[in-house]
Amino acid sequence: MRNLNQHNITEAVLASFANTPDPRLKEIISSLIKHLHNFARDVKLTEDEWFKGIQYLTATGHKCTGTRQEFILLSDVLGLSMLTIAMNQDKPAGCTEATVFGPFFLEEAPKFELGSDVSNGAKGAPCWVEGRILGLDGEPIPNATINVWQADDDGLYDVQYEDLGHSQARGILKSNSEGRYYFRTIVAEPYPIPTDGPVGVLLNATKRHPWRPAHLHFMVEAPGYQRLITHVFRDKDGYLDSDAVFGVRQSLIADWVLQADGTYRMDYDFILPKIGVK
Ligand code: BEZ
Ligand code: FE
């Protein structure tokens, strides 16, 4: 293996991984090498350009903290997150579709009784949210765990405030014996994904906007059923057709209806497949 050139180096690198014991790892690394090498050949990558690429990935890593994951954001704006979800979360017809997780979920969210105000002081117009958690045959799913999180009126999640000191606009609820859930919160508004890091540099250089259409995040879990990670998007939002992270699905769009008392209301049922059902 000497004097390798641009024509035979790919085969030599692939051969160096030939003894990888885990067949899936071998498949992934081999495919990655082939595509990376072909990419470099395709664009005739210069040394300067590759060095810039390395600097970009280094800056992406440096931007990451306990509450900021710039690599997830990069995967999101490149459409890789949504592609992975679309390939792996192809639910049976009639089930609620999945979409991107996003970087603002928190494992440790406060627990609320049904009917509580999960906004916990977050800025925004009051809104009532209600629906049912159902199985594919229409059976109500009691005691499902419903994790909800959203941005406030300024387009920020609680974790984006440096010294807030408590959680806002997120919480965990349980569906009742009829599979119903309901809570108070604030109206979802469109917001830009964070642009103060390398992802912002990329969006700026490529003249892409950073906006996401208004949405509420949900994670729904119930024993015996497949976990659902999704959003409900707000109808008529101007960014529904240009979501910066490609997450919109028609079936996930709902109306936020203005009530006579000036508050809003959004209704949405979640339908989960049983474990093992494809
Ligand atoms: C979000 O909806 O929270 C989100 C998703 C992807 C990237 C940034 C934010
Ligand atoms: Fe979000």
Side-chain angles (χ1 to χ4, degrees), residues 213-214 233-243 248 253:
F233 292 93
R234 188 170 168 194
D235 200 11
K236 300 185 184 68
D237 188 294
Y239 294 107
L240 283 170
D241 290 312
S242 65
D243 181 6
V248 178
I253 299 173

Side-chain angles (χ1 to χ4, degrees), residues 104 157 191 212 215 217 231:
F104 299 122
Y157 286 80
Y191 66 86
R212 297 217 65 208
H215 59 270
H217 290 258
H231 310 352

Side-chain angles (χ1 to χ4, degrees), residues 63-92:
K63 194 71 192 169
C64 294
T65 67
T67 53
R68 174 76 181 259
Q69 231 302 354
E70 196 74 358
F71 277 111
I72 293 185
L73 213 53
L74 185 57
S75 157
D76 293 340
V77 299
L78 295 178
L80 191 54
S81 305
M82 200 54 216
L83 169 62
T84 312
I85 291 163
M87 287 189 305
N88 290 283
Q89 298 280 333
D90 197 12
K91 311 241 182 227

